[in-house]
Structure formats: C-alpha cells, structure tokens
Amino acid sequence: MNPTKIVVDTDIGTDVDDALALAFALNSDEIELLAVTVVSSEVKLRSRLAAKILKTWGRSDIPVAAGRSDTFDGRPAYAGPVNQQGVLTADDPAPPSNAIDLMIEVIQAY
C-alpha cells in the first residue's frame, strides 16, 4: 500500500497535541509527511519548534514554513502562550520559507 501524502498545518507549541500528531505522522508507515506549515500567533517560534522535532527525528529534509499570525478577516489569532519553547537553542533558527509558497510547491509537485 502506498502511504498517504500529507502536509501538517499546525499551531504547535501551545499544547502537546500537535507535537504528538507530528510524531505519529513521522512514525507511521501509512503516511508520507511532505511538509509542515505553522499558523497562529508567534509563527516564527512555532515553526522553530516544528523544525526542531523534525531535526530530532532525523527528518530535516521535510520543509517547515511559517504562515499567517492573524485570521483571514485581519483579527489577531488567539492561541495560548508557546509552552515548549524551552527545548529550543540558538542552533534552532526559524525556517526561511513562506507557508503559502510551500503549499503551492507541494501541490504542484503532487
């Protein structure tokens, strides 16, 4: 069976649920994780967390991109504070790409 190709769009960092979902995707034979995009408040910090998890799993080849930090109607997005930022070090820079561009790239590739 061919694995299902997915992009995880997450607000990782507030609660553990998104980190666990990412870990599940990374360990599943039924899923091929193509990219991770991050939304909500503090998107650069959240994208650093997602990239750190991928790096820890030895999957730095999976691109991560920060998306919007507000809602489509321009109001600020609400999310609790980023609780897992303590795992980051200076060696964990924010990924340079843009979430919309990354999604377009993945869609065009598949």
Side-chain angles (χ1 to χ4, degrees):
M1 183 169 110
N2 292 330
T4 301
K5 294 172 177 17
I6 67 167
V7 173
V8 170
D9 186 51
T10 177
D11 66 348
I12 199 165
T14 303
D15 297 312
V16 72
D17 60 331
D18 295 275
L20 291 174
L22 192 53
F24 177 81
L26 288 165
N27 285 299
S28 174
D29 293 334
E30 298 176 12
I31 293 173
E32 180 181 353
L33 183 58
L34 301 175
V36 177
T37 58
V38 182
V39 295
S40 193
S41 61
E42 301 182 79
V43 292
K44 289 190 185 282
L45 181 57
R46 293 174 192 279
S47 66
R48 290 177 65 206
L49 284 168
K52 174 77 173 215
I53 290 171
L54 294 172
K55 180 180 174 183
T56 301
W57 250 268
R59 295 303 311 269
S60 295
D61 59 308
I62 298 172
V64 176
R68 295 182 62 108
S69 60
D70 61 355
T71 60
F72 286 114
D73 64 4
R75 290 182 292 155
Y78 173 76
V82 178
N83 296 324
Q84 287 91 25
Q85 64 188 349
V87 303
L88 297 172
T89 67
D91 295 334
D92 300 314
S97 58
N98 173 289
I100 293 172
D101 293 340
L102 179 57
M103 285 185 188
I104 291 169
E105 181 183 316
V106 170
I107 290 168
Q108 288 177 335
Y110 294 96

